[in-house]
Amino acid sequence: ETGVTQTPRHLVMGMTNKKSLKCEQHLGHNAMYWYKQSAKKPLELMFVYNFKEQTENNSVPSRFSPECPNSSHLFLHLHTLQPEDSALYLCASSQPPSSGSYNEQFFGPGTRLTVL
Amino acid sequence: AQKITQTQPGMFVQEKEAVTLDCTYDTSDPSYGLFWYKQPSSGEMIFLIYQGSYDQQNATEGRYSLNFQKARKSANLVISASQLGDSAMYFCAMREGEDSTLTFGKGTMLLVSP
């Protein structure tokens, strides 16, 4: 399998549930990202990991908990979410800065999350 | 102030015609990069084209070209010979300095009709 994959593609959960989103990249990148895309809003960066270390947390509520066990895998653990958290959650990866390339981010297909 | 502004919520174009999607940006960093992504209804963001702030020439990638006007801080995407498969959301994004993060605009929905 190539590129960036995300599972599950669709998720419906209640406010009291705990679930996890998974992202895997097969591109040899060392930076990974979580974004939230709500209707009629720009993509919102949530978290950034460089070489497995979290380098950015964009004021995300603690009910979202990221985990990066290695450079190829990124998880987003969800608990006690609110209906307004319903959105498309996109994972991306890239080479780190100063690697001499465009550093364009490659995105997965996203997980469509609905919180009831 | 918004860092990336896309003023066109939606654009319509007929197949085989060219279309320009607008993007203006705001930064005080002399080193930055501008990206365009396409998002079909499937959800995946597909990288299209990149323009660096120090690039002397406008970027081109197949049917995509970037009309980069640095003084006006605009980086419009031009799609030539539109195809039905070009119907999608298009996002302009910027990276500043050595930061790896991207700031995205709100996007433009492009619909290509037969």
Side-chain angles (χ1 to χ4, degrees), chain A residues 9 33 35 37 40-43 45 48 50 56 88 90 94 97-98 101-109, chain B residues 2 35 37 39 41-47 49-50 61 91 95 98-106:
Chain A
R9 293 294 309 276
Y33 313 78
Y35 288 89
Q37 187 177 27
K40 300 181 181 177
K41 280 188 173 183
L43 264 74
L45 179 66
V48 182
N50 278 294
E56 188 148 345
L88 180 68
L90 289 161
S94 74
S98 305
S101 70
Y102 295 162
N103 304 129
E104 72 268 32
Q105 293 181 16
F106 292 80
F107 284 79
Chain B
Q2 283 188 343
F35 300 77
Y37 282 85
Q39 187 180 37
S41 56
S42 58
E44 183 175 352
M45 299 278 281
I46 302 166
F47 166 70
I49 195 166
Y50 168 83
E61 286 287 348
F91 292 93
R95 185 189 66 234
E98 292 301 315
D99 192 352
S100 66
T101 62
L102 295 178
T103 303
F104 285 82
K106 290 185 177 180

Side-chain angles (χ1 to χ4, degrees), chain B residues 43-107:
Chain B
E44 183 175 352
M45 299 278 281
I46 302 166
F47 166 70
L48 296 178
I49 195 166
Y50 168 83
Q51 180 84 45
S53 59
Y54 297 119
D55 293 344
Q56 296 295 313
Q57 302 210 337
N58 286 347
T60 60
E61 286 287 348
R63 294 187 298 112
Y64 304 110
S65 61
L66 207 150
N67 184 0
F68 182 45
Q69 298 188 42
K70 197 170 182 177
R72 298 178 62 182
K73 293 191 172 179
S74 75
N76 298 339
L77 177 70
V78 180
I79 305 175
S80 62
S82 298
Q83 301 172 356
L84 296 178
D86 294 335
S87 294
M89 281 290 287
Y90 287 81
F91 292 93
C92 180
M94 177 173 65
R95 185 189 66 234
E96 296 173 273
E98 292 301 315
D99 192 352
S100 66
T101 62
L102 295 178
T103 303
F104 285 82
K106 290 185 177 180

